[in-house]
Amino acid sequence: MSETLQYIESYFQNELSHDERLAFENRCTTDQSFAGEVAFYVASRQALKDNLLQNKQKEWVESSIKDEWKSGSAVRKIYQQPLFRYAAAASVIILVALYLEITPANPQQLAEDYINLNYQHLGQKMSAASDSIELGIAAYNSKDYVKAANIFEVLNNANPGNAELIKYRGLVYLQLNNYDKAIAAFDSLASTKNLHSNPGLLLQAAALLKRGDPGDVDTSKLLLQRVIIEDKEGKDEAEKWIKNYK
């Protein structure tokens, strides 16, 4: 079995860690060749399953295996066949695919996926306080969010109004599940003028959805509508999320 096939099977067998699953899903959206292999894997397993079931049905009708079946030996023999094991895996894949198709996404999950996909890792960006910022980013990327929060708090106090630092401060508090501070930071970011791009409204909506207090969903919807109407950064995401509000 190739490494790629093993990797794909591990995903559908739920053998990957949370971060590995996110990396797999991200690769499906960015690597067309890999996405094609995943699609082929699912399709081939469906075809294999259909063919196997037809063959087995014919075998069961034509053969007299009642005694073996009662003793359990027939079950073991069938399971030991490679095709049967692949068909079993295929059935799991099909159930997962059907579940994904019939289970509608909700804004909370979409917001969670967006944060995990885009903000698990921060890129290095040079600025006036670059050395200190890099320390904060390094702490964030190593998931030492408490240390990162302390660094960004100090930098924010020393550089009020710095949009980059406001954003980082909001993101680290979002990772710490301190939603009140995250929302306040993203509100401040959204109010910052003269930026080439500003994800403040979308991030504020995401933080509200993750917090989930009474009224947060309605408020997040209003923010997403602003993103769309004002053509702000994250418009495509906002349009996708807002379609899933009940």
Side-chain angles (χ1 to χ4, degrees):
M1 182 182 297
S2 70
E3 291 184 5
T4 300
L5 178 58
Q6 181 63 57
Y7 180 43
I8 294 171
E9 285 200 344
S10 295
Y11 174 84
F12 285 104
Q13 294 297 332
N14 202 28
E15 295 174 350
L16 302 181
S17 67
H18 176 70
D19 289 344
E20 288 172 334
R21 290 182 67 82
L22 290 175
F24 181 99
E25 291 160 5
N26 182 47
R27 186 175 175 186
C28 285
T29 64
T30 59
D31 186 337
Q32 292 184 355
S33 176
F34 179 70
E37 291 186 73
V38 175
F40 178 78
Y41 176 88
V42 174
S44 63
R45 291 299 182 265
Q46 173 67 69
L48 183 61
K49 176 176 180 288
D50 292 341
N51 183 62
L52 178 70
L53 289 177
Q54 291 175 3
N55 290 338
K56 283 302 169 189
Q57 185 178 30
K58 183 178 179 180
E59 288 179 18
W60 290 334
V61 171
E62 294 176 350
S63 62
S64 57
I65 57 171
K66 291 183 179 180
D67 292 337
E68 287 188 353
W69 186 268
K70 290 179 181 179
S71 68
S73 60
V75 175
R76 288 192 294 273
K77 288 180 180 178
I78 294 170
Y79 183 77
Q80 287 169 357
Q81 296 180 28
L83 281 178
F84 187 88
R85 293 199 295 273
Y86 279 118
S91 65
V92 174
I93 295 169
I94 293 162
L95 288 174
V96 170
L98 289 174
Y99 175 80
L100 292 175
E101 288 180 3
I102 66 176
T103 304
N106 59 68
Q108 290 85 352
Q109 185 59 54
L110 290 171
E112 179 77 26
D113 293 344
Y114 172 78
I115 295 298
N116 289 336
L117 183 61
N118 293 280
Y119 294 109
Q120 282 292 320
H121 185 275
L122 300 179
Q124 301 293 113
K125 294 184 178 181
M126 304 301 289
S127 70
S130 60
D131 291 342
S132 297
I133 290 178
E134 287 176 5
L135 288 174
I137 290 174
Y140 183 99
N141 290 342
S142 64
K143 301 186 185 303
D144 190 348
Y145 298 125
V146 173
K147 179 180 179 180
N150 291 333
I151 293 172
F152 290 134
E153 280 287 4
V154 172
L155 292 174
N156 268 274
N157 291 334
N159 302 273
N162 184 308
E164 181 182 43
L165 293 173
I166 295 171
K167 176 182 174 181
Y168 290 158
R169 180 174 178 271
L171 289 172
V172 75
Y173 281 124
L174 192 61
Q175 298 291 359
L176 287 169
N177 298 330
N178 190 330
Y179 300 121
D180 293 345
K181 286 189 175 182
I183 291 167
F186 294 140
D187 182 53
S188 177
L189 177 62
S191 301
T192 303
K193 306 296 183 181
N194 302 319
L195 297 179
H196 177 67
S197 63
N198 190 334
L201 288 176
L202 186 68
L203 289 171
Q204 189 178 356
L208 285 164
L209 288 168
K210 285 174 67 65
R211 184 174 69 177
D213 285 352
D216 281 352
V217 173
D218 291 337
T219 303
S220 69
K221 187 175 183 179
L222 293 174
L223 292 175
L224 294 176
Q225 289 172 337
R226 282 188 58 194
V227 173
I228 296 168
I229 293 170
E230 299 174 18
D231 197 21
K232 297 287 188 180
E233 182 177 347
K235 180 180 178 180
D236 291 343
E237 292 293 334
E239 290 176 338
K240 181 167 57 175
W241 298 1
I242 211 164
K243 289 178 183 178
N244 290 279
Y245 279 77
K246 294 181 180 180

